[in-house]
Amino acid sequence: MALVNVNNMLVLDNPTNFTNPFSFEITFECLQELDDDLEWRVLYVGKAADSTSDLVLDEILVGPVPVGVNKFVLQADAPDPKQLEELLGVTVVLVTCSYRDREFVRVGYYVNNEYTGYNPDEEGAKPPPNPLDLKLVTRQILADKPRVTKFAIPWGDENEKPTGADTATHANMTTMAGGEKAASGEPEPEPEPEQMEEEEEEEEEEEEPEGDEAEEEDLVADE
């Protein structure tokens, strides 16, 4: 049983200029006193097919965590445009949480960066200048369609082996940028407004340690 559950996540200041920080209001519940802090990270997917291009925008330790419902705002600076192969278009931002270096929840959002006055689908549209005027780039997060993936991890025994699901999770989440299916191959239902979807990672028996399974359930955001 997970000792920490994310109940709700709100995207603040959205849409906004590309250079403004990412801001998430996170509500989570701690069911039992924890011996160590929680590590929260914000990652920006630079290239869907290459996990090495992911940019860690921020990582913080939260603790000691009191038992009960907790709420805080997680902020992260915008990515450095010089580190991105393509700035405009659709990509993904991820918010993850780990305990003792083991990730147990990941929330992913589609991100669309548009240049004011430029429509790539319009015939004969004049391309934006190079370099881009960042003041004219708008970032919009599809806040009503998050993807949530949970992982079963050991919460007490430090000698237990870490879950082998992490690699598969990244492969699944990065397909969001291309609009592909989840790793399970099953079609995904259209989410209700402000409803978090969770995806189940299917691992081969020889790759997934016994007892380390991703969980699937629906999380409904609070009003």
Side-chain angles (χ1 to χ4, degrees):
M1 180 184 68
L3 298 186
V4 176
N5 296 301
V6 176
N7 298 336
N8 193 25
M9 188 175 298
L10 298 177
V11 180
L12 307 179
D13 191 23
N14 182 56
T16 188
N17 182 264
F18 176 83
T19 59
N20 289 341
F22 287 88
S23 187
F24 304 92
E25 183 184 89
I26 301 172
T27 304
F28 68 94
E29 183 177 14
C30 182
L31 303 179
Q32 181 178 310
E33 184 175 347
L34 303 177
D35 294 330
D36 293 293
D37 296 341
L38 297 176
E39 181 183 25
W40 294 86
R41 298 203 304 168
V42 180
L43 298 93
Y44 191 87
V45 176
K47 189 176 182 180
D50 181 12
S51 62
T52 62
S53 66
D54 289 359
L55 304 179
V56 179
L57 302 184
D58 200 2
E59 48 188 343
I60 64 169
L61 293 176
V62 175
V65 178
V67 175
V69 177
N70 301 271
K71 181 186 293 186
F72 74 104
V73 174
L74 176 62
Q75 284 193 329
D77 291 337
D80 182 354
K82 297 179 181 178
Q83 295 183 297
L84 302 175
E85 291 187 11
E86 294 184 5
L87 190 149
L88 300 181
V90 178
T91 185
V92 172
V93 65
L94 305 170
V95 178
T96 73
C97 190
S98 302
Y99 182 68
R100 292 178 174 172
D101 297 324
R102 291 165 177 168
E103 182 179 315
F104 63 89
V105 66
R106 173 175 292 203
V107 182
Y109 293 93
Y110 287 112
V111 180
N112 187 28
N113 297 313
E114 295 183 337
Y115 196 82
T116 303
Y118 171 62
N119 182 1
D121 297 327
E122 183 179 334
E123 186 176 354
K126 184 179 179 180
N130 188 15
L132 296 172
D133 183 353
L134 296 181
K135 295 179 180 179
L136 297 179
V137 178
T138 300
R139 180 184 72 225
Q140 182 169 14
I141 299 175
L142 301 187
D144 62 337
K145 295 183 179 180
R147 307 288 181 89
V148 181
T149 306
K150 286 185 176 181
F151 302 97
I153 66 168
W155 292 87
D157 189 351
E158 295 182 358
N159 295 321
E160 292 188 46
K161 294 182 179 180
T163 176
D166 291 346
T167 301
T169 304
H170 178 85
N172 182 35
M173 293 305 304
T174 53
T175 60
M176 293 171 59
E180 301 173 8
K181 295 181 180 178
S184 63
E186 297 295 330
E188 299 175 2
E190 185 69 20
E192 297 295 329
E194 295 194 3
Q195 177 176 341
M196 288 184 170
E197 295 181 358
E198 297 198 358
E199 301 174 346
E200 180 177 7
E201 300 300 324
E202 296 184 354
E203 297 291 316
E204 297 295 334
E205 292 183 0
E206 64 271 20
E207 296 179 353
E208 182 176 5
E210 184 177 356
D212 264 339
E213 297 180 355
E215 300 176 358
E216 180 179 6
E217 63 181 51
D218 290 331
L219 295 180
V220 180
D222 298 331
E223 293 296 334

